[in-house]
C-alpha cells in the first residue's frame, strides 16, 4: 500500500512537471487556427443555466482586477473561470469589454495550469465562449480572433489528451460536449467531432445499464446525462448536421427513465445521491423543443414505483452499484417513500452533496433512510478518503423481489444481504397497499441466518420537516398531520417512539425533522415486525 501510494505520488509529480513544460505547451498548440463557422444559440443552454437569471452588463466586473483577486474562494474562482456567467450578460453588453476580459484571461492562463485547466472547467469555458460568440467573437480584430481560435483549439487538444484519465464521469460528459461543439463550430477540423462522438459513445456504454439508467443508480446523474445528450443533439440539429443514431437512442432511454423518476410524479425521490432538484424548468425546456417522454413501467434502475391518481409507493429494490460508480450511493436498501395527493407522507432524508463536510458521510448512512438498521450500522460499508468522495467497499445484493400492481391491491416484496456477512441477518421487506381503504401494511422480517442474538435493531420512518406528528395517549399509535390530511401509524407489540433528526432534501443544507422508529433486540429466531399506515 505504501509503495503504491509512493508510486502514485511520483507519477503525479512527473505529470505535473510535464504539463507545465515547454514541450507539452508546444504539443497542444495548434498548427492551424481556422475560424468559427457555426455559432450556437445561447438559449440551447437553458437546460443547464438557471432560467430566471438576473441580467448583468460586463461593466459590473472590475475588468482590470477580475483575474488576480487573491481573496476569491475556490468555488467562486472555478465559476469565474468556467465563464458560464457569460449567459447572464445582457446582450447590450459591450463586445469590446467582453473580449477584453477574455483577452486578459488568455494572457494569464494561455499555458496549462492545474487550477484553471481542469476537465470540467475547460469544457464549460469552451461551451460558454462559443455559445456566446456574438459577444466573445464577433467584430473582434483579426489578431484577437486568431488568439481566441488558437486558445480554443489548444484547450481542446488538452481535453482530447486527458479526458479519459479523469475519474469523474460528469466531468467527462462536459468535456465530450465541448469537444463535439468545437468540431461542429470549426468544421474544417473533423477530427474533433469524430473524437468527441467516439468518446461520448464509449462513455455511455461504460456507465449506463441496458435500460439506459446510470449504473450509479443516481437519479441526479440521470437528469445530467439527459440534459447534455439533448444539448448535443440540438447543436447537431441547429448546425444542420446529421444527428448520430446513438445520440437519439440514448435520449430515448434516458427520457423514459426521466419520465419514470420525475415526470410521472413531479416530486424528487430521495434515494442514492438525490436531493430536491425541481425539474419544472427543464420540463418547460423539453416542451419548447418538442421532447415528450412517457414510461408506465413499475420497475427501472433498481426502483419500484407504483402510482394511481392520488397515491404513490416508491421503494429501492436494487443492489448496490459497482464500487467505481458508488461515490454518491447511499445505503438505503429497501427504503421507501409514500406520496399522497402530491405530498410526501413518508420520505428519506436526502443527500448532503459537499464531500468536505462531515454531513456527507452522515447522509450516506442507512439511519437517514426509511428502512431497517442493525446494530447501529449501515447495510453497506464505505471507505473514507480525505478530500474525495467515499466509495463502497462492502456492498449488498438483492436476493429476491416481487411486484404486484392491481387496481385494488399493490405489493412490493424484496430482501437483501447487507447485514449477512457481519451480523448473520437477511432483511426481507413487504409493503402492501389497499387503495380503497387508503391503508399501507408493512412486514419487516429479520431472518437470522446464523442464530446471532441480542443485536439492536431499529426501523425508521422519516418525515419531511413541515409534517407534525403526535403519539396517542396509549402509546400504541402515532398521528400524522400531512398538511391537513390525517394519517395514523401503528405497530402491534412493538415499541414506538419519535425522534428528532436531520433532513438534507435541499442541496448542501440541513433542517430539523422527525422520524417514527420501532426498536428492539434480535433473537435466535426469525422475527417479523408488522406496521400499518392508515388514512383517517
Amino acid at each position: 500500500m505504501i509503495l503504491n501510494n509512493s508510486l502514485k505520488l511520483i507519477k503525479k509529480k512527473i505529470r505535473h512537471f510535464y504539463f507545465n513544460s515547454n514541450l507539452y505547451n508546444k504539443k497542444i498548440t495548434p498548427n492551424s487556427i481556422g475560424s468559427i463557422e457555426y455559432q450556437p444559440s445561447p438559449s440551447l443552454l437553458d437546460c443547464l443555466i438557471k432560467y430566471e437569471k438576473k441580467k448583468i452588463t460586463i461593466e459590473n466586473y472590475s475588468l482590470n482586477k477580475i483575474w488576480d483577486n487573491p481573496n476569491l474562494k475556490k468555488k467562486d474562482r472555478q465559476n469565474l473561470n468556467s465563464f458560464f456567467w457569460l449567459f447572464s450578460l445582457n446582450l447590450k453588453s459591450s463586445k469590446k469589454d467582453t473580449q477584453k476580459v477574455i483577452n486578459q484571461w488568455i494572457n494569464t492562463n494561455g499555458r496549462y495550469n492545474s487550477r484553471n485547466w481542469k476537465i470540467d472547467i475547460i469544457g464549460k469555458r469552451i461551451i460558454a465562449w462559443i455559445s456566446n460568440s456574438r459577444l466573445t467573437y464577433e467584430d473582434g480584430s483579426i489578431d484577437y480572433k486568431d488568439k481566441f481560435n488558437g486558445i480554443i483549439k489548444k484547450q481542446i487538444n488538452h481535453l482530447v489528451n486527458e479526458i479519459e484519465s479523469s475519474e469523474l464521469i460528469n466531468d467527462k460528459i462536459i468535456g465530450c460536449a465541448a469537444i463535439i461543439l468545437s468540431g461542429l463550430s470549426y468544421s474544417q477540423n473533423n477530427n474533433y467531432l469524430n473524437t468527441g462522438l467516439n468518446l461520448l459513445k464509449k462513455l455511455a456504454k461504460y456507465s449506463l445499464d441496458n435500460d439506459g439508467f446510470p449504473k450509479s443508480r443516481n437519479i441526479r446523474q440521470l437528469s445530467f446525462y439527459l440534459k447534455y445528450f439533448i444539448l448535443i443533439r440540438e447543436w447537431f440539429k441547429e448546425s444542420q448536421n446529421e444527428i448520430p443514431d446513438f445520440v437519439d437512442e440514448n435520449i430515448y432511454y434516458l427520457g423514459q427513465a426521466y419520465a419514470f423518476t420525475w415526470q410521472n410524479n413531479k416530486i424528487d425521490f430521495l434515494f442514492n445521491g438525490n436531493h430536491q432538484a425541481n425539474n419544472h424548468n427543464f420540463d418547460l425546456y423539453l416542451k419548447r423543443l418538442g421532447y415528450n417522454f412517457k414510461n408506465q413501467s413499475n420497475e427501472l434502475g433498481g426502483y419500484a414505483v407504483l402510482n394511481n391518481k392520488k397515491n404513490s409507493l416508491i421503494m429501492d429494490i436494487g443492489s448496490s452499484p459497482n464500487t467505481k460508480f458508488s461515490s454518491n450511493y447511499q445505503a438505503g436498501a429497501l427504503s421507501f417513500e409514500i406520496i399522497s395527493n402530491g405530498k410526501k407522507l413518508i420520505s428519506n432524508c436526502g443527500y448532503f452533496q459537499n464531500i468536505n463536510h462531515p454531513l456527507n458521510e452522515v447522509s450516506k448512512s442507512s439511519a437517514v433512510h426509511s428502512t431497517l438498521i442493525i446494530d447501529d450500522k449501515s447495510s453497506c460499508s464505505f471507505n473514507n478518503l480525505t478530500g474525495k468522495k467515499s466509495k463502497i467497499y462492502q456492498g449488498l445484493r438483492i436476493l429476491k423481489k416481487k411486484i404486484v400492481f392491481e387496481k385494488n391491491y399493490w405489493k412490493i416484496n424484496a430482501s437483501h444481504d447487507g447485514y449477512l456477512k457481519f451480523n448473520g441477518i437477511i432483511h426481507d421487506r413487504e409493503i402492501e397497499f389497499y387503495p380503497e381503504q387508503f391503508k399501507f401494511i408493512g412486514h419487516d422480517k429479520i431472518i437470522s441466518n446464523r442464530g446471532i442474538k441480542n443485536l439492536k435493531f431499529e426501523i425508521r420512518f422519516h418525515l419531511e420537516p413541515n409534517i407534525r406528528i403526535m403519539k396517542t395517549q396509549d402509546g400504541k399509535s402515532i398521528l400524522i398531520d400531512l398538511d391537513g390530511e390525517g394519517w395514523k401509524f401503528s405497530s402491534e407489540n412493538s415499541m414506538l417512539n419519535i425522534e428528532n433528526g436531520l433532513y438534507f432534501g435541499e442541496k448542501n443544507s440541513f433542517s430539523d425533522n422527525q422520524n417514527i422508529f420501532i426498536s428492539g433486540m434480535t433473537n435466535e429466531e426469525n422475527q417479523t415486525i408488522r406496521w400499518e399506515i392508515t388514512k383517517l
Side-chain angles (χ1 to χ4, degrees):
M1 177 67 80
I2 295 175
L3 179 60
N4 286 339
N5 288 337
S6 297
L7 290 173
K8 286 180 181 179
L9 182 61
I10 292 171
K11 185 178 179 181
K12 185 176 180 180
K13 287 184 176 180
I14 292 173
R15 282 168 58 85
H16 178 76
F17 177 79
Y18 173 59
F19 286 152
N20 287 277
S21 69
N22 289 330
L23 180 65
Y24 185 69
N25 186 59
K26 184 177 180 180
K27 178 182 177 180
I28 61 176
T29 300
N31 295 321
S32 60
I33 303 300
S35 59
I36 292 179
E37 296 181 9
Y38 162 56
Q39 296 178 308
S41 301
S43 63
L44 295 180
L45 271 291
D46 283 350
C47 64
L48 303 177
I49 309 298
K50 291 182 179 179
Y51 273 69
E52 296 180 1
K53 45 187 179 285
K54 182 181 179 181
K55 287 295 181 181
I56 58 176
T57 61
I58 193 65
E59 290 79 8
N60 292 115
Y61 292 86
S62 177
L63 301 181
N64 295 321
K65 298 179 180 180
I66 194 170
W67 301 115
D68 55 6
N69 183 350
N71 298 318
L72 279 179
K73 294 180 180 178
K74 181 180 178 181
K75 184 177 180 181
D76 292 334
R77 188 182 70 250
Q78 289 177 341
N79 289 337
L80 182 65
N81 279 277
S82 75
F83 279 85
F84 262 31
W85 51 267
L86 285 172
F87 293 98
S88 295
L89 288 183
N90 191 308
L91 290 178
K92 295 181 180 179
S93 292
S94 167
K95 293 181 181 180
K96 182 179 178 181
D97 286 342
T98 303
Q99 292 168 17
K100 183 178 179 182
V101 169
I102 292 175
N103 194 55
Q104 289 174 340
W105 185 93
I106 297 171
N107 291 337
T108 307
N109 299 279
R111 290 174 62 112
Y112 168 86
N113 65 77
S114 58
R115 291 204 311 175
N116 301 331
W117 280 56
K118 296 181 185 296
I119 298 296
D120 60 324
I121 295 176
I122 291 176
K124 290 178 179 179
R125 182 162 57 239
I126 289 171
I127 291 170
W129 282 4
I130 296 177
S131 296
N132 290 279
S133 55
R134 289 168 182 80
L135 284 174
T136 63
Y137 188 76
E138 284 185 356
D139 300 332
S141 68
I142 294 175
D143 287 344
Y144 170 78
K145 286 185 175 180
D146 284 347
K147 201 172 183 179
F148 181 91
N149 294 326
I151 195 65
I152 288 277
K153 292 189 174 182
K154 190 174 184 179
Q155 292 175 90
I156 289 294
N157 289 339
H158 176 71
L159 274 184
V160 171
N161 287 338
E162 291 303 307
I163 192 168
E164 293 199 71
S165 66
S166 173
E167 295 181 359
L168 302 176
I169 292 174
N170 287 11
D171 288 1
K172 290 183 179 183
I173 291 288
I174 297 170
C176 283
I179 296 169
I180 290 168
L181 178 58
S182 296
L184 292 169
S185 294
Y186 296 90
S187 58
Q188 60 271 32
N189 190 341
N190 287 326
N191 287 336
Y192 288 158
L193 185 57
N194 294 333
T195 299
L197 288 173
N198 288 334
L199 285 168
L200 183 63
K201 189 174 184 179
K202 182 179 178 181
L203 186 57
K205 186 175 181 181
Y206 167 76
S207 59
L208 299 176
D209 66 19
N210 293 333
D211 295 319
F213 207 100
K215 292 178 181 177
S216 63
R217 304 191 54 234
N218 186 307
I219 296 171
R220 207 159 31 88
Q221 189 176 55
L222 162 68
S223 298
F224 179 88
Y225 264 89
L226 180 60
K227 289 175 181 179
Y228 268 94
F229 266 93
I230 286 177
L231 175 63
I232 290 167
R233 185 183 189 276
E234 291 302 312
W235 284 336
F236 271 91
K237 182 179 175 181
E238 188 180 59
S239 63
Q240 298 183 348
N241 280 275
E242 184 178 354
I243 299 167
D245 289 340
F246 89 91
V247 172
D248 278 335
E249 182 180 350
N250 277 283
I251 288 174
Y252 172 78
Y253 286 111
L254 288 166
Q256 283 206 322
Y258 179 72
F260 177 83
T261 57
W262 165 259
Q263 289 185 321
N264 291 348
N265 287 283
K266 304 293 186 181
I267 290 182
D268 289 293
F269 304 154
L270 301 184
F271 300 89
N272 298 320
N274 205 23
H275 46 63
Q276 293 177 16
N278 191 347
N279 291 308
H280 296 290
N281 287 334
F282 183 44
D283 287 342
L284 293 174
Y285 175 88
L286 293 173
K287 184 177 181 180
R288 175 166 65 86
L289 294 178
Y291 292 92
N292 184 24
F293 304 121
K294 294 182 179 180
N295 192 332
Q296 299 302 317
S297 301
N298 297 325
E299 180 185 357
L300 189 66
Y303 302 100
V305 180
L306 307 182
N307 292 309
N308 62 19
K309 292 182 179 181
K310 294 184 177 181
N311 301 101
S312 298
L313 173 63
I314 309 98
M315 187 164 158
D316 182 343
I317 57 170
S319 299
S320 56
N322 185 289
T323 297
K324 57 191 174 186
F325 300 114
S326 67
S327 57
N328 290 303
Y329 179 72
Q330 295 173 277
L334 307 192
S335 64
F336 73 103
E337 297 190 329
I338 294 174
I339 299 170
S340 173
N341 289 314
K343 296 166 287 190
K344 286 269 188 83
L345 173 61
I346 300 295
S347 178
N348 291 319
C349 290
Y351 181 59
F352 198 90
Q353 191 174 331
N354 185 353
I355 63 171
N356 296 315
H357 198 290
L359 288 178
N360 175 260
E361 293 302 314
V362 172
S363 70
K364 288 189 171 188
S365 68
S366 296
V368 301
H369 292 79
S370 296
T371 191
L372 170 77
I373 304 99
I374 297 290
D375 199 27
D376 291 323
K377 294 183 175 66
S378 292
S379 55
C380 285
S381 300
F382 300 88
N383 57 24
N384 292 309
L385 301 173
T386 304
K388 291 186 177 181
K389 292 183 177 181
S390 61
K391 295 184 179 181
I392 291 173
Y393 73 83
Q394 181 67 46
L396 60 83
R397 292 179 303 128
I398 294 296
L399 303 177
K400 70 169 186 177
K401 57 184 175 181
K402 183 178 181 180
I403 300 171
V404 178
F405 184 54
E406 299 171 354
K407 182 178 179 181
N408 297 318
Y409 177 72
W410 305 356
K411 182 174 79 172
I412 304 175
N413 177 224
S415 63
H416 74 79
D417 66 356
Y419 296 113
L420 183 59
K421 182 176 181 179
F422 296 110
N423 305 116
I425 286 171
I426 291 172
H427 178 206
D428 183 291
R429 166 168 275 180
E430 177 182 278
I431 301 179
E432 301 172 291
F433 178 53
Y434 297 87
E436 292 181 334
Q437 303 172 46
F438 294 99
K439 176 185 288 188
F440 294 88
I441 299 177
H443 294 89
D444 280 294
K445 297 178 183 179
I446 301 174
I447 302 172
S448 181
N449 185 268
R450 298 197 300 268
I452 298 177
K453 62 180 181 179
N454 297 326
L455 295 174
K456 178 185 175 183
F457 74 82
E458 295 175 343
I459 307 173
R460 295 185 179 274
F461 305 83
H462 292 276
L463 308 165
E464 290 191 326
N466 60 321
I467 295 180
R468 295 179 294 173
I469 55 177
M470 179 182 66
K471 186 184 286 190
T472 57
Q473 288 187 342
D474 59 13
K476 295 181 179 180
S477 301
I478 292 175
L479 302 179
I480 305 171
D481 181 2
L482 180 64
D483 193 22
E485 278 188 16
W487 292 80
K488 181 175 76 172
F489 183 99
S490 59
S491 180
E492 295 180 5
N493 304 318
S494 296
M495 183 181 296
L496 288 182
N497 281 294
I498 297 172
E499 188 174 75
N500 294 326
L502 294 176
Y503 179 79
F504 309 108
E506 298 287 343
K507 182 180 178 180
N508 287 335
S509 66
F510 63 90
S511 55
D512 295 330
N513 76 333
Q514 292 182 302
N515 63 81
I516 301 166
F517 75 98
I518 300 169
S519 60
M521 303 295 291
T522 65
N523 55 45
E524 296 178 355
E525 303 296 328
N526 297 338
Q527 296 164 262
T528 299
I529 297 90
R530 185 182 186 278
W531 47 267
E532 288 188 10
I533 305 175
T534 308
K535 190 173 184 180
L536 299 175

